[in-house]
Amino acid sequence: MMKKLIPKLSFWQIWNMNVGFFGIQYSFGLQQTAVNPLYSFLGAHAEQLPILNLAGPVTGLLIQPLIGAISDKTWSAKWGRRKPFFLLGALFCSLALFAFPFSSTIWMAAGLLWILDAANNTAMEPYRAFIGDKLPEEQQTFGFQMQSLFVGAGITLANLSLFVFQKYLGGDSESGGIPVWVYYSFFLGSFCSIASVVWSVYKTPEIPPTDEELAKLKADKEHSTLFTPFIEIFTAIMNMPKILWQLALVYLFQWYALFCYWQFVTPMIKQTLYGVSEKDEEKASRILELSKSGSILSKSDLLWAKNIAHLVETAVGQTGLMNGFYNFITMISALILIPFAMKFSSKNVYAVCLFFTGISLLSLPFIKSETLILLPMVLFGIGWASMMGLPYSMVSPSIPSDKRGVYMGVINMMIVIPMLMQTVSFGFIFKNFLGNNPSNAILTAGALFILAAISVTYIKVRMVKPLNR
């Protein structure tokens, strides 16, 4: 088949096509920062957090490769190939975000997380493939790093909204349950999710298939069965380019570590910055529940419990500030990484960024200042910018264009399998080997990032001709 000529796009065309990633990543930012504290507000223990986050890896493992395989075989003259999946995912994501803070039990929150993750995954994978569809190889590093910019912007707003709403519009929860200020962040996310995707769908036309491609799509449709997408995934894995196997090892360390960070950074902050243990939090919660039910309590006990509740909510706000700060750094550094990647190669820049991400996490448990703890987040933000763009630009030239959707789904499998491993294994590790100490969980994540950086050095990347300016 003759290779399709893909025209270069302007800066603003690439900008508009990626705006929808902002809303998707706002939702992801709330999952990073707000969902685990929300579980805690509802009474979950720290060792339960990994299993309560099972939705992310399971839905990613099942949905993204399936959506990728299906979208590869889809074409609508009105809606295009990838855009119907953006819209469907964003709609359900918006509804789930709106409902999330109304959760009255841990399991209601867990159920909504499954819906939210399924919706996010339905939108996410076609967006990765969209970049490959719309941009020539020499512009793909720019396109994927533009996605990193919107990753940073979306998650920054999500996390800073938690900090701002808690500090200025909230007020502490004195009777347990989910504080009112948490609602505001989820409502804002509900709007951003659908509005940003609609913008990109409206502004960005998809490239129509050639007559030859349309004929192939029609023939494939005539011979397709219910099992065809599963066969496509299996075949893609069996014939996967070697570079993807090499990336899988990097992702094993990287994404296991990231899940450790997102789950345990708030418990670490409670401990290291505010001196609140999980036992203190549980005791305070029981006292506040007794007070709510009308029990007579000593004034000192009630004041102590209210102070602990205040410190816990402050820790959630601090987590939002930290995560918002590193994603702000991601936003401003995403495009700055491009000339470095062009000069020194995406592979080398990616390896260095992962190494310094590990250093940043290894330092966190030893910092006792709300201000100084933001400094390691600079390195983390630069690392996150590299993770969200450079691996895709490294492997995209080696992916067959007619299999781009399914292979982006396979790459996501490389992300969610380590996350799934973490959710089922780390609770046991945390309890039996790390002394139920969240600081040790963060140190473990830092060490894993160092291993990820070393693994990058073994990847063999196909060279792409430089962009003509």
Side-chain angles (χ1 to χ4, degrees), residues 78-133:
K78 182 176 181 179
W79 296 105
R81 168 171 286 163
R82 315 292 183 185
K83 291 194 289 188
F85 300 97
F86 304 168
L87 283 171
L88 185 65
L91 176 62
F92 279 94
C93 179
S94 181
L95 294 173
L97 285 172
F98 186 85
F100 214 109
F102 294 100
S103 300
S104 56
T105 65
I106 294 172
W107 298 110
M108 179 180 174
L112 283 169
L113 182 60
W114 280 82
I115 296 171
L116 180 62
D117 261 312
N120 270 340
N121 280 296
T122 298
M124 181 90 72
E125 185 285 328
Y127 233 123
R128 298 291 193 196
F130 195 38
I131 298 297
D133 292 345

Side-chain angles (χ1 to χ4, degrees), residues 19-205:
V19 165
F21 224 63
F22 171 83
I24 296 170
Q25 293 301 317
Y26 185 108
S27 171
F28 191 52
L30 287 179
Q31 288 179 242
Q32 286 181 14
T33 303
V35 167
N36 288 305
L38 189 147
Y39 282 143
S40 297
F41 289 137
L42 295 173
H45 301 294
E47 65 192 58
Q48 294 176 293
L49 295 180
I51 201 68
L52 288 170
N53 283 271
L54 192 62
V58 171
T59 56
L61 184 64
L62 297 177
I63 290 177
Q64 283 211 28
L66 277 176
I67 293 296
I70 293 168
S71 67
D72 280 339
K73 305 297 182 184
T74 298
W75 176 254
S76 164
K78 182 176 181 179
W79 296 105
R81 168 171 286 163
R82 315 292 183 185
K83 291 194 289 188
F85 300 97
F86 304 168
L87 283 171
L88 185 65
L91 176 62
F92 279 94
C93 179
S94 181
L95 294 173
L97 285 172
F98 186 85
F100 214 109
F102 294 100
S103 300
S104 56
T105 65
I106 294 172
W107 298 110
M108 179 180 174
L112 283 169
L113 182 60
W114 280 82
I115 296 171
L116 180 62
D117 261 312
N120 270 340
N121 280 296
T122 298
M124 181 90 72
E125 185 285 328
Y127 233 123
R128 298 291 193 196
F130 195 38
I131 298 297
D133 292 345
K134 286 285 293 181
L135 295 175
E137 286 183 1
E138 63 268 26
Q139 279 193 309
Q140 287 182 14
T141 295
F142 183 77
F144 285 117
Q145 286 305 115
M146 182 69 81
Q147 283 196 349
S148 288
L149 185 151
F150 281 106
V151 168
I155 302 179
T156 295
L157 181 61
N159 287 284
L160 291 183
S161 73
L162 288 166
F163 177 77
V164 170
F165 291 148
Q166 188 268 336
K167 193 171 184 67
Y168 298 107
L169 302 178
D172 298 329
S173 172
E174 298 185 353
S175 58
I178 300 170
V180 173
W181 54 267
V182 172
Y183 287 62
Y184 303 140
S185 290
F186 279 87
F187 293 163
L188 180 59
S190 180
F191 170 78
C192 290
S193 178
I194 190 67
S196 63
V197 168
V198 167
W199 176 273
S200 285
V201 167
Y202 175 73
K203 286 287 188 177
T204 310

